[in-house]
Amino acid sequence: IIGLSGGIDSALTTTIAVDALGPSKVRTVMMPYKFTANISVKDANELAQNLGIEHHQIEIHDIYEAFVNSLQKEFKGKNKDTTEENLQSRTRGVLLMALSNKSGYLVLTTGNKSETAVGYSTLYGDTAGGFAVIKDVPKTLVYDLANYRNNISNVIPKRTIKRPPTAELSPDQKDSDSLPDYAVLDKIIELYVEKDYSPTSIVDSGFNKKLVKTIIKLIDRSEY
């Protein structure tokens, strides 16, 4: 069972699961909120139809608002921040795990290596599940794999591949608001995590010093 968002990561994860197990053994759930674009809902439906899998939609508005209302007293006088964004993701995680418990299905998480490395994900939210299918796949390779799979048979909607990546947890949100271009990010992650380059060596390889410092800080904070 997979939380299908209309984005590239969940689309690739779902396609891999269907290729491995067959359509009868894969279920997807779309859990929209007010920041979810209509095209995300449509693309999720299209992917599910193309793969021939069971697909459901569960609105999270009332559940999320119940969390927010319960925390109103504790949050009084504090501005909205990533806490509220994470609550949306955790609402979805709770629903997926409930469906998993009830059905016996295994939740597949959809986070890629780039996001995981720098903490662009939510503990107990999109990280909640039993197996992380693309945990070792950098974002740039996610796109390559999606295009490769579509060359075999055209199942992933073109718009899913072409759209700028977004978590859709706030208005008009894009990954590029918080992260550098994935081609740059993935290379820094590779040098620091895989090849054990020092920050100085990465900068000497041609990367901006301030950017390298920022990315390494994110990686170090997320390592646990």
Side-chain angles (χ1 to χ4, degrees):
I1 190 163
I2 303 161
L4 194 55
S5 68
I8 186 74
D9 296 317
S10 63
L12 180 63
T13 301
T14 302
T15 304
I16 290 170
V18 172
D19 287 347
L21 303 173
S24 66
K25 294 187 177 178
V26 180
R27 286 173 56 189
T28 50
V29 186
M30 176 62 164
M31 295 168 281
Y33 184 55
K34 63 182 179 181
F35 303 127
T36 305
N38 289 331
I39 57 175
S40 297
V41 176
K42 289 178 182 177
D43 287 353
N45 284 331
E46 184 181 336
L47 178 74
Q49 287 174 3
N50 290 345
L51 293 171
I53 58 177
E54 187 179 338
H55 179 67
H56 299 276
Q57 185 166 312
I58 303 174
E59 304 285 340
I60 69 164
H61 180 273
D62 291 347
I63 304 167
Y64 171 77
E65 293 299 327
F67 276 128
V68 172
N69 290 335
S70 297
L71 291 163
Q72 217 169 28
K73 195 179 193 179
E74 305 295 331
F75 287 179
K76 190 176 181 181
K78 297 180 180 178
N79 294 326
K80 287 187 176 181
D81 54 19
T82 53
T83 305
E84 283 75 14
E85 294 182 23
N86 289 335
L87 265 176
Q88 291 170 56
S89 183
R90 288 179 178 132
T91 299
R92 295 180 174 115
V94 166
L95 291 173
L96 283 173
M97 290 309 302
L99 291 169
S100 172
N101 289 159
K102 190 63 72 174
S103 67
Y105 276 43
L106 177 73
V107 176
L108 301 182
T109 64
T110 61
N112 62 67
K113 183 168 188 168
S114 307
E115 295 171 344
T116 305
V118 296
Y120 198 71
S121 58
T122 303
L123 286 172
Y124 318 114
D126 55 326
T127 60
F131 185 66
V133 178
I134 57 172
K135 63 184 179 298
D136 287 317
V137 182
K139 188 74 168 190
T140 47
L141 184 54
V142 167
Y143 285 102
D144 291 343
L145 289 171
N147 284 310
Y148 166 76
R149 180 58 181 80
N150 271 6
N151 285 333
I152 298 171
S153 62
N154 199 20
V155 292
I156 300 174
K158 286 183 180 178
R159 183 166 57 192
T160 300
I161 299 173
K162 296 290 185 185
R163 283 177 70 193
T166 171
E168 291 193 323
L169 297 173
S170 62
D172 301 317
Q173 186 181 41
K174 293 183 178 64
D175 289 8
S176 57
D177 298 337
S178 307
L179 299 173
D181 182 80
Y182 277 112
V184 175
L185 177 64
D186 286 353
K187 190 61 182 175
I188 294 173
I189 292 171
E190 180 189 1
L191 292 175
Y192 186 61
V193 177
E194 302 293 336
K195 298 187 175 179
D196 205 26
Y197 273 39
S198 68
T200 302
S201 297
I202 297 173
V203 173
D204 290 344
S205 299
F207 294 94
N208 177 272
K209 184 177 182 179
K210 184 179 179 182
L211 177 61
V212 169
K213 185 178 179 182
T214 299
I215 297 306
I216 286 177
K217 185 179 179 182
L218 289 172
I219 293 171
D220 287 348
R221 283 178 61 192
S222 300
E223 263 192 335
Y224 73 92

Short mmCIF file of all heavy atoms in Angstrom, two decimals, residues 83-133:
data_model
loop_
_atom_site.label_atom_id
_atom_site.label_comp_id
_atom_site.label_asym_id
_atom_site.label_seq_id
_atom_site.Cartn_x
_atom_site.Cartn_y
_atom_site.Cartn_z
N THR A 83 6.18 23.04 11.34
CA THR A 83 5.40 22.17 12.24
C THR A 83 4.07 21.81 11.61
O THR A 83 3.66 20.64 11.60
CB THR A 83 5.15 22.87 13.59
OG1 THR A 83 6.39 23.29 14.14
CG2 THR A 83 4.42 21.96 14.56
N GLU A 84 3.38 22.83 11.09
CA GLU A 84 2.07 22.60 10.46
C GLU A 84 2.20 21.78 9.17
O GLU A 84 1.34 20.96 8.85
CB GLU A 84 1.37 23.93 10.17
CG GLU A 84 0.75 24.60 11.38
CD GLU A 84 1.78 25.25 12.33
OE1 GLU A 84 2.96 25.43 11.90
OE2 GLU A 84 1.42 25.59 13.46
N GLU A 85 3.30 21.99 8.44
CA GLU A 85 3.54 21.19 7.24
C GLU A 85 3.75 19.72 7.61
O GLU A 85 3.20 18.81 6.99
CB GLU A 85 4.76 21.72 6.48
CG GLU A 85 4.55 23.12 5.90
CD GLU A 85 5.76 23.59 5.11
OE1 GLU A 85 6.55 22.73 4.66
OE2 GLU A 85 5.93 24.81 4.95
N ASN A 86 4.56 19.50 8.65
CA ASN A 86 4.82 18.14 9.09
C ASN A 86 3.57 17.44 9.58
O ASN A 86 3.42 16.21 9.42
CB ASN A 86 5.89 18.13 10.18
CG ASN A 86 7.28 18.46 9.66
OD1 ASN A 86 7.57 18.25 8.49
ND2 ASN A 86 8.14 18.98 10.51
N LEU A 87 2.67 18.19 10.20
CA LEU A 87 1.41 17.61 10.69
C LEU A 87 0.58 17.03 9.54
O LEU A 87 -0.10 16.03 9.71
CB LEU A 87 0.59 18.67 11.44
CG LEU A 87 0.73 18.71 12.96
CD1 LEU A 87 -0.06 19.87 13.54
CD2 LEU A 87 0.28 17.40 13.60
N GLN A 88 0.64 17.69 8.40
CA GLN A 88 -0.08 17.16 7.23
C GLN A 88 0.49 15.80 6.82
O GLN A 88 -0.23 14.84 6.60
CB GLN A 88 0.04 18.13 6.05
CG GLN A 88 -0.70 19.43 6.23
CD GLN A 88 -0.33 20.41 5.14
OE1 GLN A 88 -0.46 20.12 3.95
NE2 GLN A 88 0.14 21.58 5.52
N SER A 89 1.81 15.76 6.75
CA SER A 89 2.48 14.51 6.38
C SER A 89 2.21 13.42 7.41
O SER A 89 1.98 12.25 7.05
CB SER A 89 3.98 14.77 6.24
OG SER A 89 4.65 13.61 5.82
N ARG A 90 2.23 13.80 8.69
CA ARG A 90 2.00 12.80 9.74
C ARG A 90 0.55 12.31 9.76
O ARG A 90 0.29 11.16 10.10
CB ARG A 90 2.40 13.38 11.09
CG ARG A 90 3.90 13.50 11.22
CD ARG A 90 4.38 14.09 12.53
NE ARG A 90 5.84 14.10 12.52
CZ ARG A 90 6.59 15.13 12.85
NH1 ARG A 90 6.02 16.26 13.25
NH2 ARG A 90 7.89 15.07 12.80
N THR A 91 -0.38 13.17 9.38
CA THR A 91 -1.77 12.74 9.24
C THR A 91 -1.86 11.63 8.20
O THR A 91 -2.52 10.59 8.42
CB THR A 91 -2.66 13.91 8.82
OG1 THR A 91 -2.60 14.93 9.83
CG2 THR A 91 -4.11 13.48 8.65
N ARG A 92 -1.17 11.82 7.09
CA ARG A 92 -1.17 10.80 6.04
C ARG A 92 -0.49 9.53 6.51
O ARG A 92 -0.94 8.42 6.19
CB ARG A 92 -0.49 11.36 4.79
CG ARG A 92 -1.25 12.54 4.17
CD ARG A 92 -0.56 13.09 2.93
NE ARG A 92 -1.38 14.10 2.30
CZ ARG A 92 -1.08 15.40 2.19
NH1 ARG A 92 0.08 15.85 2.69
NH2 ARG A 92 -1.90 16.24 1.60
N GLY A 93 0.60 9.68 7.27
CA GLY A 93 1.31 8.51 7.78
C GLY A 93 0.44 7.68 8.71
O GLY A 93 0.46 6.44 8.64
N VAL A 94 -0.32 8.35 9.56
CA VAL A 94 -1.22 7.65 10.49
C VAL A 94 -2.27 6.85 9.72
O VAL A 94 -2.55 5.69 10.04
CB VAL A 94 -1.92 8.66 11.44
CG1 VAL A 94 -3.09 8.02 12.17
CG2 VAL A 94 -0.92 9.21 12.45
N LEU A 95 -2.84 7.45 8.69
CA LEU A 95 -3.87 6.77 7.89
C LEU A 95 -3.30 5.55 7.17
O LEU A 95 -3.91 4.48 7.15
CB LEU A 95 -4.48 7.74 6.88
CG LEU A 95 -5.34 8.87 7.47
CD1 LEU A 95 -5.75 9.85 6.40
CD2 LEU A 95 -6.57 8.31 8.18
N LEU A 96 -2.13 5.72 6.57
CA LEU A 96 -1.50 4.60 5.86
C LEU A 96 -1.20 3.44 6.80
O LEU A 96 -1.43 2.27 6.47
CB LEU A 96 -0.22 5.05 5.17
CG LEU A 96 -0.38 5.84 3.88
CD1 LEU A 96 0.98 6.36 3.42
CD2 LEU A 96 -1.02 4.98 2.79
N MET A 97 -0.70 3.76 8.01
CA MET A 97 -0.37 2.70 8.95
C MET A 97 -1.64 2.02 9.49
O MET A 97 -1.63 0.81 9.76
CB MET A 97 0.46 3.26 10.11
CG MET A 97 1.88 3.66 9.71
SD MET A 97 2.80 2.38 8.82
CE MET A 97 2.76 1.03 9.99
N ALA A 98 -2.73 2.78 9.61
CA ALA A 98 -4.00 2.18 10.03
C ALA A 98 -4.50 1.20 8.96
O ALA A 98 -4.95 0.09 9.27
CB ALA A 98 -5.04 3.26 10.28
N LEU A 99 -4.40 1.61 7.70
CA LEU A 99 -4.80 0.73 6.60
C LEU A 99 -3.91 -0.51 6.54
O LEU A 99 -4.37 -1.61 6.25
CB LEU A 99 -4.74 1.49 5.27
CG LEU A 99 -5.78 2.61 5.10
CD1 LEU A 99 -5.44 3.47 3.88
CD2 LEU A 99 -7.18 2.02 4.96
N SER A 100 -2.63 -0.30 6.83
CA SER A 100 -1.69 -1.42 6.86
C SER A 100 -2.06 -2.42 7.97
O SER A 100 -2.11 -3.63 7.73
CB SER A 100 -0.27 -0.89 7.08
OG SER A 100 0.64 -1.94 7.30
N ASN A 101 -2.33 -1.90 9.16
CA ASN A 101 -2.70 -2.75 10.29
C ASN A 101 -3.97 -3.55 9.99
O ASN A 101 -4.06 -4.74 10.30
CB ASN A 101 -2.96 -1.91 11.53
CG ASN A 101 -1.69 -1.32 12.13
OD1 ASN A 101 -1.75 -0.35 12.87
ND2 ASN A 101 -0.53 -1.87 11.82
N LYS A 102 -4.95 -2.88 9.39
CA LYS A 102 -6.24 -3.51 9.15
C LYS A 102 -6.17 -4.55 8.02
O LYS A 102 -6.84 -5.59 8.08
CB LYS A 102 -7.28 -2.44 8.81
CG LYS A 102 -8.72 -2.95 8.78
CD LYS A 102 -9.19 -3.46 10.14
CE LYS A 102 -9.42 -2.33 11.12
NZ LYS A 102 -10.01 -2.83 12.40
N SER A 103 -5.37 -4.28 7.00
CA SER A 103 -5.35 -5.14 5.82
C SER A 103 -4.22 -6.15 5.81
O SER A 103 -4.28 -7.16 5.11
CB SER A 103 -5.24 -4.27 4.56
OG SER A 103 -3.97 -3.63 4.52
N GLY A 104 -3.15 -5.85 6.58
CA GLY A 104 -1.96 -6.69 6.53
C GLY A 104 -1.02 -6.31 5.40
O GLY A 104 0.00 -6.97 5.19
N TYR A 105 -1.35 -5.26 4.67
CA TYR A 105 -0.49 -4.79 3.58
C TYR A 105 0.72 -4.05 4.17
O TYR A 105 0.64 -3.46 5.22
CB TYR A 105 -1.26 -3.82 2.67
CG TYR A 105 -2.09 -4.49 1.59
CD1 TYR A 105 -2.87 -5.61 1.88
CD2 TYR A 105 -2.11 -3.99 0.29
CE1 TYR A 105 -3.63 -6.21 0.89
CE2 TYR A 105 -2.88 -4.58 -0.70
CZ TYR A 105 -3.64 -5.68 -0.40
OH TYR A 105 -4.40 -6.28 -1.36
N LEU A 106 1.83 -4.09 3.45
CA LEU A 106 3.05 -3.41 3.84
C LEU A 106 3.06 -2.01 3.24
O LEU A 106 2.87 -1.85 2.03
CB LEU A 106 4.26 -4.19 3.33
CG LEU A 106 5.65 -3.60 3.58
CD1 LEU A 106 6.02 -3.73 5.05
CD2 LEU A 106 6.69 -4.31 2.70
N VAL A 107 3.28 -0.99 4.06
CA VAL A 107 3.40 0.37 3.54
C VAL A 107 4.78 0.56 2.92
O VAL A 107 5.80 0.32 3.56
CB VAL A 107 3.19 1.43 4.65
CG1 VAL A 107 3.43 2.84 4.09
CG2 VAL A 107 1.79 1.33 5.23
N LEU A 108 4.81 0.98 1.66
CA LEU A 108 6.05 1.34 0.99
C LEU A 108 6.21 2.85 1.07
O LEU A 108 5.31 3.59 0.66
CB LEU A 108 6.03 0.90 -0.48
CG LEU A 108 5.84 -0.59 -0.74
CD1 LEU A 108 5.89 -0.87 -2.24
CD2 LEU A 108 6.88 -1.43 -0.01
N THR A 109 7.33 3.30 1.61
CA THR A 109 7.57 4.74 1.65
C THR A 109 8.20 5.19 0.34
O THR A 109 8.75 4.38 -0.41
CB THR A 109 8.47 5.14 2.84
OG1 THR A 109 9.76 4.53 2.67
CG2 THR A 109 7.87 4.68 4.15
N THR A 110 8.12 6.48 0.07
CA THR A 110 8.44 6.96 -1.28
C THR A 110 9.58 7.97 -1.32
O THR A 110 9.83 8.58 -2.36
CB THR A 110 7.18 7.60 -1.91
OG1 THR A 110 6.77 8.71 -1.12
CG2 THR A 110 6.04 6.59 -1.99
N GLY A 111 10.28 8.18 -0.20
CA GLY A 111 11.35 9.17 -0.16
C GLY A 111 12.59 8.72 -0.91
O GLY A 111 13.01 7.57 -0.80
N ASN A 112 13.17 9.64 -1.69
CA ASN A 112 14.41 9.33 -2.42
C ASN A 112 15.63 9.68 -1.58
O ASN A 112 15.52 10.26 -0.50
CB ASN A 112 14.43 10.05 -3.77
CG ASN A 112 14.39 11.56 -3.60
OD1 ASN A 112 15.33 12.18 -3.09
ND2 ASN A 112 13.30 12.18 -4.02
N LYS A 113 16.81 9.34 -2.08
CA LYS A 113 18.04 9.53 -1.33
C LYS A 113 18.36 11.02 -1.10
O LYS A 113 18.86 11.40 -0.04
CB LYS A 113 19.21 8.87 -2.05
CG LYS A 113 20.52 8.96 -1.30
CD LYS A 113 21.58 8.06 -1.88
CE LYS A 113 22.80 8.02 -1.00
NZ LYS A 113 23.73 6.96 -1.38
N SER A 114 18.08 11.84 -2.08
CA SER A 114 18.39 13.27 -1.97
C SER A 114 17.62 13.90 -0.82
O SER A 114 18.18 14.63 0.01
CB SER A 114 18.05 13.99 -3.28
OG SER A 114 18.67 13.36 -4.38
N GLU A 115 16.32 13.62 -0.75
CA GLU A 115 15.48 14.16 0.32
C GLU A 115 15.90 13.62 1.68
O GLU A 115 16.00 14.36 2.65
CB GLU A 115 14.01 13.79 0.06
CG GLU A 115 13.41 14.42 -1.17
CD GLU A 115 12.04 13.85 -1.48
OE1 GLU A 115 11.68 12.79 -0.93
OE2 GLU A 115 11.34 14.47 -2.29
N THR A 116 16.13 12.32 1.73
CA THR A 116 16.48 11.68 3.00
C THR A 116 17.79 12.23 3.54
O THR A 116 17.92 12.48 4.75
CB THR A 116 16.58 10.16 2.82
OG1 THR A 116 15.35 9.67 2.26
CG2 THR A 116 16.84 9.47 4.14
N ALA A 117 18.75 12.44 2.65
CA ALA A 117 20.08 12.89 3.07
C ALA A 117 20.05 14.25 3.75
O ALA A 117 20.76 14.49 4.72
CB ALA A 117 21.03 12.92 1.87
N VAL A 118 19.21 15.15 3.24
CA VAL A 118 19.20 16.52 3.77
C VAL A 118 18.00 16.78 4.70
O VAL A 118 17.78 17.91 5.12
CB VAL A 118 19.22 17.56 2.63
CG1 VAL A 118 20.52 17.47 1.85
CG2 VAL A 118 18.02 17.42 1.71
N GLY A 119 17.24 15.75 5.02
CA GLY A 119 16.12 15.91 5.95
C GLY A 119 14.90 16.56 5.35
O GLY A 119 14.06 17.09 6.08
N TYR A 120 14.77 16.51 4.02
CA TYR A 120 13.59 17.09 3.37
C TYR A 120 12.47 16.04 3.36
O TYR A 120 11.99 15.60 2.33
CB TYR A 120 13.94 17.53 1.95
CG TYR A 120 12.95 18.50 1.33
CD1 TYR A 120 12.87 19.82 1.77
CD2 TYR A 120 12.11 18.11 0.29
CE1 TYR A 120 11.99 20.71 1.21
CE2 TYR A 120 11.22 18.99 -0.28
CZ TYR A 120 11.16 20.30 0.19
OH TYR A 120 10.27 21.19 -0.37
N SER A 121 12.13 15.62 4.56
CA SER A 121 11.11 14.60 4.77
C SER A 121 10.62 14.72 6.20
O SER A 121 11.18 15.49 6.98
CB SER A 121 11.67 13.19 4.49
OG SER A 121 12.77 12.93 5.33
N THR A 122 9.59 13.96 6.55
CA THR A 122 8.97 14.10 7.87
C THR A 122 9.05 12.80 8.65
O THR A 122 8.52 11.78 8.19
CB THR A 122 7.50 14.53 7.73
OG1 THR A 122 7.42 15.74 6.99
CG2 THR A 122 6.86 14.73 9.10
N LEU A 123 9.71 12.85 9.80
CA LEU A 123 9.71 11.68 10.68
C LEU A 123 8.27 11.35 11.08
O LEU A 123 7.50 12.24 11.44
CB LEU A 123 10.54 11.94 11.93
CG LEU A 123 12.06 11.95 11.75
CD1 LEU A 123 12.73 12.43 13.03
CD2 LEU A 123 12.57 10.57 11.38
N TYR A 124 7.91 10.08 11.01
CA TYR A 124 6.56 9.60 11.34
C TYR A 124 5.51 10.13 10.35
O TYR A 124 4.32 10.05 10.61
CB TYR A 124 6.16 9.95 12.78
CG TYR A 124 7.28 9.72 13.75
CD1 TYR A 124 7.88 10.78 14.41
CD2 TYR A 124 7.80 8.44 13.95
CE1 TYR A 124 8.94 10.58 15.28
CE2 TYR A 124 8.87 8.23 14.81
CZ TYR A 124 9.43 9.30 15.47
OH TYR A 124 10.50 9.11 16.31
N GLY A 125 5.97 10.66 9.22
CA GLY A 125 5.08 11.11 8.16
C GLY A 125 5.34 10.31 6.92
O GLY A 125 4.99 9.12 6.85
N ASP A 126 6.02 10.91 5.93
CA ASP A 126 6.33 10.17 4.71
C ASP A 126 7.43 9.14 4.92
O ASP A 126 7.68 8.31 4.04
CB ASP A 126 6.70 11.12 3.57
CG ASP A 126 7.84 12.06 3.92
OD1 ASP A 126 7.94 12.47 5.09
OD2 ASP A 126 8.62 12.42 3.03
N THR A 127 8.07 9.14 6.10
CA THR A 127 9.06 8.11 6.41
C THR A 127 8.44 6.90 7.12
O THR A 127 9.13 5.91 7.38
CB THR A 127 10.19 8.66 7.28
OG1 THR A 127 9.64 9.15 8.51
CG2 THR A 127 10.94 9.78 6.58
N ALA A 128 7.15 6.98 7.46
CA ALA A 128 6.48 5.88 8.17
C ALA A 128 6.12 4.77 7.19
O ALA A 128 5.45 4.99 6.19
CB ALA A 128 5.22 6.39 8.85
N GLY A 129 6.60 3.56 7.48
CA GLY A 129 6.28 2.44 6.62
C GLY A 129 7.23 1.28 6.86
O GLY A 129 8.08 1.32 7.76
N GLY A 130 7.10 0.26 6.03
CA GLY A 130 7.87 -0.96 6.24
C GLY A 130 9.08 -1.11 5.36
O GLY A 130 10.05 -1.78 5.71
N PHE A 131 9.05 -0.48 4.16
CA PHE A 131 10.18 -0.61 3.25
C PHE A 131 10.29 0.63 2.38
O PHE A 131 9.29 1.08 1.80
CB PHE A 131 10.03 -1.86 2.37
CG PHE A 131 11.23 -2.12 1.49
CD1 PHE A 131 12.46 -2.47 2.05
CD2 PHE A 131 11.14 -2.01 0.11
CE1 PHE A 131 13.57 -2.71 1.24
CE2 PHE A 131 12.24 -2.25 -0.69
CZ PHE A 131 13.46 -2.60 -0.13
N ALA A 132 11.49 1.19 2.30
CA ALA A 132 11.74 2.40 1.50
C ALA A 132 12.35 1.99 0.16
O ALA A 132 13.55 1.74 0.06
CB ALA A 132 12.67 3.34 2.25
N VAL A 133 11.53 1.92 -0.85
CA VAL A 133 11.91 1.34 -2.14
C VAL A 133 13.04 2.12 -2.82
O VAL A 133 13.99 1.54 -3.33
CB VAL A 133 10.69 1.26 -3.09
CG1 VAL A 133 11.10 0.71 -4.45
CG2 VAL A 133 9.60 0.41 -2.46
#
